[in-house]
Structure formats: C-alpha cells, structure tokens
Amino acid sequence: MRIVVIGLGGVGSILIERLARFLNYSVDTKSELVLVDGDMYELKNMERQEFIDFGKKTQKTAYEIKVQYNKLKVSPIPLFVDAANIGNVIKENDVVFVCVDNHKTRNIISEYARNVPNIVVISGGNELLDGNVQIYVRKGSKDLTPHLGAYHPEIETPKDRLPSEMSCEELANSEPQLYFTNLWVATIMCSAFYNAVIKNELKASEIYFDLKHMATISHEREVK
C-alpha cells in the first residue's frame, strides 16, 4: 500500500503519527508512506504542529517515523505540489491524504486524480472551529464518490495561490488555527481511511464538523 500525505502542517503532522502507528501494527500489507511538503518546522509551529526538531518537515518527520515504526518504508519529497510535479508525486492505486490549507492545491490534486483509473483521495480542511473531510474514490476509471470540486466551487475555481507562488511574509501570515480543530480533522480523516480503504465500506463522501457545537454531519453526495 502506497500512502501519500501532502502537507505536514497543523493537520498533517498530527495525522501522520496516528496513521504510521496503525499501519505498522495493525495492517499486514507492507506500506510505504510518502511525505510531501516544501516547508520547514519552526519555533512558531510548536503551538499546533507535532514534531521534535526544527528543519525540513519531510526529512524530520521521515526520521521520526523510521525510528518508531520500523516496518514502514518512508519516502520524503521536500516540495510544494503544483501542476508540473504532481505526476511525480501521485501514482495509480495510491491513497492520498490532502492536508493543505489552500484550494488551488486541492484543485490540482483533484483534477489529476480524476484521470487516474484507481485512486482514493481523502481531503481535510478547517477554519478556526469547524471544517470538513471529503472522500473521493475512483475505481476502474469510474467515480464512486464526487471529486473534490463537484460541490465546492471554491475548489473547482480557486481564487487563492499555491504556497510556491507566495512570499515568505505571506506564508507567515496564515489564518489563526486551533490545535483541537486540527486534531478533529485528522481523526475524521483516519476514520475515513479505515472505512473506505481498510474495510472497503464507504459510509459517506463528506463529513462536516463543528467544534463549538460538538457536532458532525455526514453526507452521501451523488456523483456529478
């Protein structure tokens, strides 16, 4: 099983440890974790990102996983995904976790996945106190669930920019985030992986959550 985690920020850095633990001890199939992010772990990230050393996120996280979970193959790719390099990142039959904070990257991943015969994409995102997780499953060149932009015009026609198109100052001025909200996104993404990939029992194509009201809502949306 080849699993690609794109983005090692507030959601991705939390997700990766839980995912690695499960794959190492609870899955018989040999797994490869591919870690994709062009950013660095810095002091400012410690409030809500899980890491033990400063430096390139992919390399530091890969080292931590290898030390703790020796059954896994871990491959760091220290770059931001864009239209030019995505073909070197995502392959057929991959399970792709999208943990980025911009719609343009989600759009690039979704549009690429729509042309892959077999793939699973689990995308999570959040504001300060709420968010959603989408599950895009494609088998035998047929969509079993809607692609990421089908019900989300902000993803279908994004108005934001890629991290690689932004200055260091712009990247530093990110929207405020809460660790518990990131944790909830990561937990729902793990649940989606367990149901859609491990058990092959797709329960929903999108899950909304609201931390303030302690609520989740699942949707089974029609394929457009």
Side-chain angles (χ1 to χ4, degrees):
M1 191 186 317
R2 186 175 188 264
I3 298 172
V4 182
V5 179
I6 301 176
L8 295 173
V11 174
S13 65
I14 296 172
L15 169 82
I16 195 66
E17 197 283 333
R18 281 79 184 163
L19 189 61
R21 182 181 298 274
F22 177 80
L23 293 171
N24 195 78
Y25 294 112
S26 302
V27 176
D28 294 331
T29 307
K30 289 196 70 175
S31 301
E32 177 184 5
L33 275 175
V34 181
L35 311 180
V36 187
D37 197 309
D39 205 356
M40 309 274 286
Y41 285 127
E42 303 175 76
L43 181 63
K44 65 179 182 179
N45 302 135
M46 296 191 72
E47 180 182 357
R48 62 182 181 85
Q49 298 183 22
E50 297 190 357
F51 61 95
I52 60 174
D53 195 12
F54 301 127
K56 290 185 177 180
K57 289 184 174 182
T58 53
Q59 295 178 353
K60 296 300 181 180
T61 304
Y63 175 77
E64 292 172 25
I65 293 172
K66 288 176 182 177
V67 169
Q68 295 183 75
Y69 308 111
N70 56 16
K71 292 182 181 179
L72 303 179
K73 178 182 177 182
V74 187
S75 303
I77 302 181
L79 54 75
F80 293 116
V81 167
D82 59 30
N85 63 35
I86 190 169
N88 298 321
V89 174
I90 296 175
K91 309 295 182 184
E92 184 175 3
N93 298 311
D94 280 355
V95 178
V96 183
F97 286 88
V98 184
C99 308
V100 301
D101 59 4
N102 71 92
H103 296 313
K104 192 168 182 179
T105 301
R106 293 187 184 101
N107 172 267
I108 289 172
I109 295 168
S110 180
E111 290 302 304
Y112 185 83
R114 293 176 70 183
N115 294 293
V116 177
N118 300 283
I119 196 167
V120 175
V121 178
I122 301 172
S123 177
N126 63 277
E127 301 296 338
L128 183 63
L129 295 174
D130 62 356
N132 72 314
V133 172
Q134 296 174 261
I135 306 101
Y136 176 41
V137 180
R138 185 168 167 83
K139 291 185 179 181
S141 299
K142 180 181 178 181
D143 287 351
L144 301 188
T145 61
H147 63 86
L148 302 187
Y151 289 88
H152 289 271
E154 72 278 10
I155 297 177
E156 186 70 6
T157 54
K159 293 180 171 53
D160 55 9
R161 290 178 292 164
L162 299 173
S164 57
E165 299 171 334
M166 300 172 68
S167 67
C168 295
E169 183 178 356
E170 288 173 314
L171 288 171
N173 295 326
S174 58
E175 293 295 324
Q177 296 273 310
L178 182 67
Y179 176 80
F180 294 137
T181 312
N182 295 154
L183 177 61
W184 204 347
V185 179
T187 301
I188 295 174
M189 293 177 80
C190 288
S191 174
F193 171 74
Y194 180 74
N195 282 290
V197 178
I198 301 300
K199 303 298 290 184
N200 197 26
E201 297 174 357
L202 192 61
K203 304 296 184 181
S205 60
E206 187 162 5
I207 301 97
Y208 290 91
F209 70 91
D210 186 316
L211 185 71
K212 183 176 180 180
H213 297 96
M214 301 178 67
T216 58
I217 302 172
S218 298
H219 293 282
E220 292 185 33
R221 300 195 183 278
E222 294 182 0
V223 175
K224 291 185 176 182

